[in-house]
Amino acid sequence: MTKKLSGNEIRQTFIDFFVEHGHTAVPSMSLVPGGDATLLFTNSGMVQFKDVFLGTDKRPYKRAVDSQKCMRVAGKHNDLDDVGRDDTHHTFFEMLGNWSFGDYYKKEAIAWSWQLLTDVWGLPKAKLYATCFEDDQGHIPSDDEAADIWKEQPGFDPSHVLFFGRKENFWQMAETGPCGPCSEIHIDLGEERDNLRGTDHICGVNGQCTRYLELWNNVFIQYNLFDDGHLEPLPQKHVDTGMGFERIVSVLQGVDSNYKTDLFTGSLDVLRSLTGHSQEQMYADFTPYRVVCDHARAAAFLIADGVVPGNAGRNYITRMIIRRAARFGTKIGLREPFLAKVAEAVIEEYGSFYPELVKSRGAILDNLTREEIRFARTIESGTAQLENLLSELRASNQTTLNGRRAFDLYATYGLPFEISRDIAREHGLDVDEEGFKAAREEHSLASGGGKAMGKTGGEDAEFFAGILKDLQKHKKLGEHGVEYDPYTSPRLEGEVLALVTNGQSVESVSFGDQVQVMLPKTGFYIESGGQVDDTGYIRAERSASGDEAWEIEVTSMRRASAGVIVHVGEVISGQPKVGDLAVAEVDIRRRHDIMRNHTATHLLHAALHQVLGEHARQAGSLVAPDRLRFDFNHPEAMTPEQIERVEQIVNDAVAADMEVTPKLKAREDAIAEGAMALFGEKYGETVRTITIIDSEGLLSPAQKQASGLQTLAEAVVHPASVAEHQPKYSYELCGGTHLERTSDIGAFIIVSEGSAAAGVRRIEAVTGRGAYDLIAHRFKLLKRTAAIVKSSVEELPFKVESLQDEVADLKKELASLRTQQAMKMMESQFSSVQKVKDVNVLAMQVPNSDMDTLRMLADKFREKYPNNAIAVLASGTAVISALTNDIVSRGMKAGDLITAIGGRGGGRPNMAQGSLPDPAMVNDAMSEVVKVVEEKLI
Ligand SMILES: [Zn+2]
Ligand SMILES: [Zn+2]
């Protein structure tokens, strides 16, 4: 081995190697196997080709190569127990495979395995072993064919062929169907890697210790197995191979743990930067690190395939591994949410090969953090409760916790079974898994979980209207229904009036249930005027009558029907009941970010009027916590200067610390006063207005006039309250929630300006914390860039300019050197000009040349041979052919010559250029030239 390959390079060399041998590179299938209801997750490379082997489907290729994403965390293949405890197990892993569907067979498969491992990857030949099948039950013929092929491989030690029986070396898809012998390749890692060194054990291939490691399994599918146990040969034989990616990377990188390969370096570095541990400290207690890295990687890939944390099936698994990772994080002192940071490293490492990670980055980071926050709210009470149960258990001399009790912990505190079992085992106890499953089954039937999820859209309006009527009849709600007030207090108390889950009104719900909650009054904002829904929590304290505390996370809001506002969310602890007294609290940090963006939107609107003119009216807007988006009428792109000025004006308005005042008014009055209203928006008789007072006199009188805002003079003519005599900086009809003062915005940065539709421009901007994050990020990039080019930030532009000049000079120099080199080569090659019939023919490759160089060389050739000459020159797949005119008049054309040697191209009769389809055929094509001339030239 020359240089150590990175994990990404190892994967790529595997794929490239088989592509060179005629395989089609096939992308990994999703972790969620389509059309296979029997399987929770894709757990091997075979899953996506199963139907091809069964003969129920065909592919356009007969040879394939891939790296398949796999999960083994549930069902028959469940590695969860071992993950973290050792260096080799993973919940998520990749499986490299090459496949033949009725095409090549043992001879090629074995030879290629050998070539890739020893020639390409440079593994020592003397350390490799091959196992072949010999039936321990004496029915199926031995696979001597594979054994003989192994013995023919150059440098393979024939005594390293070993035979094993059905357990190790025979593969079958199921009880019946396609099956066949396997041949595995093992490596001897040396005595020092033997974990049982010095003890009496079976030390060898398929033995008991870690010295011999299986690398690659080649399965030769050649029989069909019938009910009665008899075998028939398949009409078409297949090859199915699998090589654990993490394992081969560890061997090629010469490390003793999959977790010490570069695949995990980024994740571990992130974790160590958080814990402050040195590498030695980390290795001393490696288990939590291994669990966190493994689970974070698995969760990132699952979320990228659309499996978000939830209460059942695959979603439960995602929830469980995130929570398990979070718990192991606490063992190394991590309290704050940290998994998103680890996931960033995962995306960085894998994103180039698995673009779905990059595409889903937002969803991955978001889901991880949210799930961690949910879990953090209950983990302490949950584990305390579990510890109590475990002490009771020990006191009564029992060793296994009742599964029903474990389920209660899940239903109340969201403590997944697997975590309860981890904790129990840390105390030398266990939990009854079957009992847990039975309790879960019962619960899901009782809560109607078998039915379809809640109806969407307006379909359930009638259903909610019915609930409202009933509540009004019982005097729980007045004639207007649920009261809506997002403007005063973000925290309101009230009785739980209704709980709806799975499209049914229920008396109580429990952990993990998706639920819609009705309270008499809400302070949560419902999306309108571009401002998004509030999120937050509804919770109940432990009641005097002994009812347990509970909590619901509110993720969105709905107007389900006239007078009905519901909070949509998920139970994150306890068992909420109708009639419980609860507190509903808006996520105030998030709301504050939204308000910053909303008030900034009004300032942006005003600034656009000042810079572009009054026609720049709002055409759409989005006010979210992380950014604002503003669409406005304007016929052309803004200039960089205009964008800068708008940004400057808004930041001046922020610094002026202007007062923002909401007021209810008669619609006609507000419009008459020049309040900006949106076209096409329906307003009631009474409207809410938002005024920003120009207390520092930022607007000139002309600007006030131009923007149509009320001037002091006008205010005197139309007497109103004193406050309204103050000049207005901005005046809009708006139902949104706003800051009290503009200075609260902090900072305002325009991120982009572009086209939204014909005649409509779009600005995206950030404020407050978002602006700070952006600035900090840009500074970091700037500093990093400066460090890379060895300059200070201030000198960076000059440094980059001078580097670019340098590159341009070097390019020029290189081009002239290449031309000189090519000329030299050409001259030396004139000796290899062949006489075909009476013609001078030159066919040669000129590496690293562009078309211009080739053309120049062709001209030079024709200078030397003005008559009776043909040249075909190639560089890579680019090819040029040049003929002297007398050859053309003998009926030959330059373009035809390229076609005749298998290329494509065109041009003039005496000079044509084109390309050859495949770099592998350039040699052959060049040797074709003489033959073609011989045959075609009269
Ligand atoms: Zn051993
Ligand atoms: Zn507004």
Side-chain angles (χ1 to χ4, degrees):
M1 260 175 288
T2 43
K3 119 183 194 295
K4 231 186 235 179
L5 294 176
S6 72
N8 279 314
E9 286 167 338
I10 290 167
R11 189 194 297 108
Q12 199 57 50
T13 47
F14 180 87
I15 289 169
D16 289 347
F17 178 83
F18 285 101
V19 167
E20 277 163 28
H21 290 94
H23 292 60
T24 299
V26 177
S28 170
M29 90 182 288
S30 165
L31 283 169
V32 179
D36 192 341
T38 63
L39 204 56
L40 203 55
F41 293 112
T42 302
N43 59 8
S44 73
M46 215 272 301
V47 177
Q48 77 161 320
F49 300 117
K50 197 170 160 185
D51 47 9
V52 185
F53 292 132
L54 289 170
T56 55
D57 196 10
K58 273 212 166 96
R59 300 290 150 97
Y61 40 78
K62 289 188 147 182
R63 301 175 180 188
V65 57
D66 68 349
S67 178
Q68 175 63 49
K69 304 182 279 189
C70 301
M71 275 291 286
R72 289 191 184 170
V73 69
K76 197 174 99 189
H77 292 294
N78 187 348
D79 290 341
L80 185 69
D81 283 356
D82 295 319
V83 172
R85 292 191 198 179
D86 67 17
D87 285 306
T88 54
H89 282 89
H90 302 287
T91 51
F92 169 92
F93 61 96
E94 291 172 82
M95 187 70 96
L96 303 173
N98 57 291
W99 310 82
S100 161
F101 309 117
D103 192 51
Y104 66 82
Y105 206 46
K106 292 176 189 172
K107 190 162 170 271
E108 294 86 347
I110 289 173
W112 288 336
S113 301
W114 184 249
Q115 278 170 31
L116 177 63
L117 291 175
T118 60
D119 291 349
V120 179
W121 284 341
L123 288 176
K125 294 177 177 173
K127 299 285 180 193
L128 296 173
Y129 290 77
T131 66
C132 295
F133 175 68
E134 184 177 53
D135 193 3
D136 36 345
Q137 297 177 21
H139 298 306
I140 310 169
S142 293
D143 193 2
D144 296 327
E145 186 188 356
D148 290 342
I149 297 169
W150 271 114
K151 289 174 189 162
E152 287 164 12
Q153 300 310 311
F156 180 80
D157 180 344
S159 73
H160 283 192
V161 171
L162 306 168
F163 284 90
F164 287 90
R166 292 196 184 194
K167 186 168 154 278
E168 287 88 7
N169 279 61
F170 198 81
W171 177 88
Q172 49 195 90
M173 192 183 286
E175 297 300 308
T176 59
C179 59
C182 332
S183 180
E184 292 175 350
I185 302 156
H186 295 245
I187 187 165
D188 175 5
L189 296 171
E191 213 180 327
E192 66 280 4
R193 290 286 295 278
D194 190 342
N195 61 333
L196 302 175
R197 194 164 14 150
T199 69
D200 185 21
H201 68 280
I202 303 175
C203 193
V205 169
N206 289 329
Q208 293 169 317
C209 63
T210 50
R211 172 171 171 173
Y212 293 85
L213 193 65
E214 180 202 330
L215 290 181
W216 199 347
N217 190 7
N218 279 246
V219 181
F220 306 118
I221 306 175
Q222 65 187 77
Y223 303 113
N224 203 352
L225 177 61
F226 289 86
D227 289 346
D228 58 2
H230 90 277
L231 292 168
E232 277 176 22
L234 284 171
Q236 285 210 311
K237 296 179 172 127
H238 312 291
V239 178
D240 152 3
T241 85
M243 172 155 53
F245 175 60
E246 288 77 4
R247 185 175 286 189
I248 188 70
V249 173
S250 79
V251 169
L252 291 174
Q253 294 184 350
V255 290
D256 60 3
S257 164
N258 292 358
Y259 294 92
K260 290 179 184 171
T261 64
D262 72 331
L263 300 173
F264 290 97
T265 306
S267 300
L268 290 173
D269 283 352
V270 167
L271 282 177
R272 278 202 298 119
S273 77
L274 295 173
T275 60
H277 286 166
S278 68
Q279 201 161 352
E280 292 67 39
Q281 286 169 316
M282 170 175 80
Y283 288 152
D285 184 16
F286 205 17
T287 299
Y289 282 93
R290 285 187 292 229
V291 172
V292 170
C293 285
D294 174 89
H295 287 17
R297 182 175 73 157
F301 273 94
L302 282 169
I303 297 167
D305 277 348
V307 192
V308 296
N311 221 17
R314 298 176 178 120
N315 307 86
Y316 170 80
I317 300 289
T318 307
R319 159 161 289 161
M320 183 274 290
I321 61 171
I322 295 172
R323 292 186 170 214
R324 195 163 184 261
R327 179 171 171 269
F328 274 89
T330 64
K331 289 177 178 252
I332 43 176
L334 302 175
R335 306 278 160 201
E336 295 287 309
F338 62 92
L339 286 171
K341 295 193 180 106
V342 184
E344 294 253 31
V346 174
I347 297 168
E348 169 96 356
E349 174 65 32
Y350 290 91
S352 58
F353 192 78
Y354 296 106
E356 61 268 33
L357 288 171
V358 179
K359 253 178 30 203
S360 312
R361 169 192 221 98
I364 293 169
L365 306 186
D366 206 52
N367 273 293
L368 285 171
T369 306
R370 281 170 56 138
E371 188 62 19
E372 277 179 284
I373 291 171
R374 287 176 184 152
F375 188 43
R377 296 172 85 92
T378 59
I379 181 174
E380 273 181 34
S381 28
T383 44
Q385 199 66 32
L386 175 61
E387 304 267 354
N388 285 342
L389 292 174
L390 294 176
S391 339
E392 284 171 25
L393 201 65
R394 235 191 326 240
S396 59
N397 276 327
Q398 287 173 284
T399 54
T400 306
L401 180 67
N402 185 310
R404 230 159 253 282
R405 308 295 290 272
F407 180 75
D408 286 343
L409 288 173
Y410 180 66
T412 311
Y413 301 104
L415 206 61
F417 167 79
E418 291 79 358
I419 294 182
S420 293
R421 188 177 56 187
D422 281 343
I423 296 173
R425 286 183 179 169
E426 283 159 19
H427 288 78
L429 303 167
D430 210 342
V431 186
D432 166 28
E433 186 167 5
E434 292 311 313
F436 179 91
K437 281 186 187 157
R440 182 164 68 184
E441 190 68 15
E442 257 171 52
H443 172 82
S444 107
L445 288 176
S447 63
K451 292 195 189 128
M453 286 303 285
K455 297 166 217 154
T456 53
E459 281 173 34
D460 57 358
E462 221 167 291
F463 166 74
F464 278 101
I467 295 180
L468 175 64
K469 236 183 186 167
D470 198 50
L471 287 166
Q472 285 168 330
K473 203 170 83 193
H474 292 91
K475 302 271 182 277
K476 294 278 188 186
L477 279 175
E479 59 165 327
H480 297 297
V482 176
E483 208 181 312
Y484 178 57
D485 179 13
Y487 308 117
T488 40
S489 174
R491 191 174 185 279
L492 288 171
E493 249 187 31
E495 180 187 340
V496 174
L497 297 180
L499 294 166
V500 174
T501 186
N502 293 315
Q504 290 175 308
S505 184
V506 295
E507 282 305 305
S508 84
V509 284
S510 49
F511 174 78
D513 286 341
Q514 302 294 322
V515 63
Q516 303 186 56
V517 188
M518 244 171 112
L519 300 170
K521 184 175 179 180
T522 186
F524 284 62
Y525 189 81
I526 305 175
E527 175 167 357
S528 82
Q531 181 178 332
V532 300
D533 286 340
D534 275 331
T535 64
Y537 295 91
I538 303 174
R539 64 177 75 94
E541 307 290 325
R542 195 188 166 104
S543 76
S545 60
D547 285 340
E548 288 292 329
W550 55 257
E551 193 163 26
I552 291 169
E553 183 186 356
V554 178
T555 49
S556 65
M557 297 296 294
R558 262 188 93 198
R559 271 184 210 279
S561 138
V564 179
I565 295 171
V566 293
H567 306 76
V568 182
E570 184 180 329
V571 182
I572 58 172
S573 74
Q575 298 178 333
K577 289 191 298 296
V578 171
D580 284 352
L581 191 64
V583 173
E585 199 169 346
V586 173
D587 178 342
I588 195 64
R589 195 173 141 109
R590 180 175 175 277
R591 161 76 86 77
H592 210 143
D593 288 338
I594 294 172
M595 296 202 298
R596 271 191 273 264
N597 282 334
H598 203 149
T599 303
T601 299
H602 287 207
L603 292 178
L604 170 63
H605 198 180
L608 287 168
H609 278 215
Q610 292 175 37
V611 174
L612 302 178
E614 227 195 312
H615 65 276
R617 287 195 151 250
Q618 176 170 350
S621 110
L622 170 73
V623 180
D626 57 334
R627 75 206 149 103
L628 65 91
R629 192 177 73 207
F630 191 74
D631 295 350
F632 56 98
N633 299 314
H634 189 58
E636 63 207 7
M638 288 173 73
T639 64
E641 293 74 28
Q642 287 172 330
I643 296 171
E644 238 169 74
R645 264 188 68 210
V646 166
E647 197 176 81
Q648 181 68 53
I649 288 171
V650 174
N651 280 294
D652 284 346
V654 171
D657 186 26
M658 300 188 285
E659 193 183 333
V660 184
T661 46
K663 196 166 176 48
L664 292 177
K665 285 210 166 176
R667 182 187 58 204
E668 279 174 24
D669 290 351
I671 304 273
E673 288 166 7
M676 279 194 273
L678 294 183
F679 292 113
E681 188 80 17
K682 245 171 61 192
Y683 294 100
E685 283 310 304
T686 306
V687 293
R688 190 162 173 274
T689 63
I690 301 293
T691 310
I692 301 177
I693 310 291
D694 184 15
S695 45
E696 278 196 359
L698 292 181
L699 290 181
S700 67
Q703 279 174 332
K704 276 175 229 169
Q705 205 78 47
S707 58
L709 291 179
Q710 191 189 32
T711 62
L712 192 55
E714 278 173 289
V716 175
V717 180
H718 303 280
S721 73
V722 180
E724 291 179 31
H725 290 184
Q726 293 182 293
K728 296 180 170 71
Y729 188 87
S730 152
Y731 188 27
E732 295 200 24
L733 299 191
C734 175
T737 59
H738 283 268
L739 303 169
E740 287 177 12
R741 308 197 70 91
T742 58
S743 58
D744 217 357
I745 290 170
F748 169 87
I749 311 259
I750 293 177
V751 178
S752 67
E753 192 272 349
S755 166
V760 179
R761 305 299 298 174
R762 167 170 293 177
I763 281 183
E764 293 208 316
V766 289
T767 66
R769 288 188 288 158
Y772 172 76
D773 287 347
L774 181 68
I775 294 167
H777 177 68
R778 296 251 161 111
F779 262 121
K780 217 161 115 187
L781 285 181
L782 207 53
K783 281 186 203 153
R784 211 164 84 189
T785 313
I788 290 170
V789 301
K790 300 197 170 53
S791 148
S792 68
V793 169
E794 280 70 24
E795 283 165 2
L796 194 54
F798 312 108
K799 181 77 186 189
V800 170
E801 246 171 68
S802 90
L803 282 173
Q804 272 178 329
D805 288 347
E806 215 174 294
V807 169
D809 288 347
L810 287 172
K811 270 190 182 159
K812 247 188 250 162
E813 205 180 313
L814 182 65
S816 107
L817 279 174
R818 279 198 177 145
T819 313
Q820 281 175 28
Q821 196 189 24
M823 295 284 253
K824 255 201 199 133
M825 186 171 168
M826 188 79 178
E827 259 155 36
S828 71
Q829 290 287 321
F830 282 155
S831 59
S832 63
V833 168
Q834 300 180 54
K835 274 269 187 210
V836 181
K837 297 185 179 167
D838 56 334
V839 184
N840 296 301
V841 179
L842 176 65
M844 78 182 264
Q845 296 187 54
V846 195
N848 297 321
S849 302
D850 54 15
M851 266 301 170
D852 285 341
T853 311
L854 291 183
R855 208 172 294 126
M856 202 195 65
L857 292 173
D859 287 339
K860 199 173 159 59
F861 174 77
R862 284 190 300 189
E863 251 167 53
K864 187 163 167 97
Y865 299 98
N867 294 305
N868 276 339
I870 296 175
V872 178
L873 307 172
S875 177
T877 56
V879 59
I880 199 164
S881 85
L883 320 178
T884 50
N885 289 329
D886 56 306
I887 301 286
V888 176
S889 49
R890 282 164 74 177
M892 187 158 227
K893 284 200 184 108
D896 296 345
L897 188 51
I898 293 180
T899 319
I901 60 170
R904 242 198 271 193
R908 285 174 284 122
N910 64 350
M911 170 88 89
Q913 66 186 56
S915 66
L916 295 163
D918 182 355
M921 64 175 284
V922 177
N923 280 334
D924 288 347
M926 297 312 282
S927 53
E928 264 311 279
V929 173
V930 170
K931 275 186 240 162
V932 172
V933 174
E934 261 169 4
E935 280 166 22
K936 300 255 167 99
L937 197 69
I938 315 149

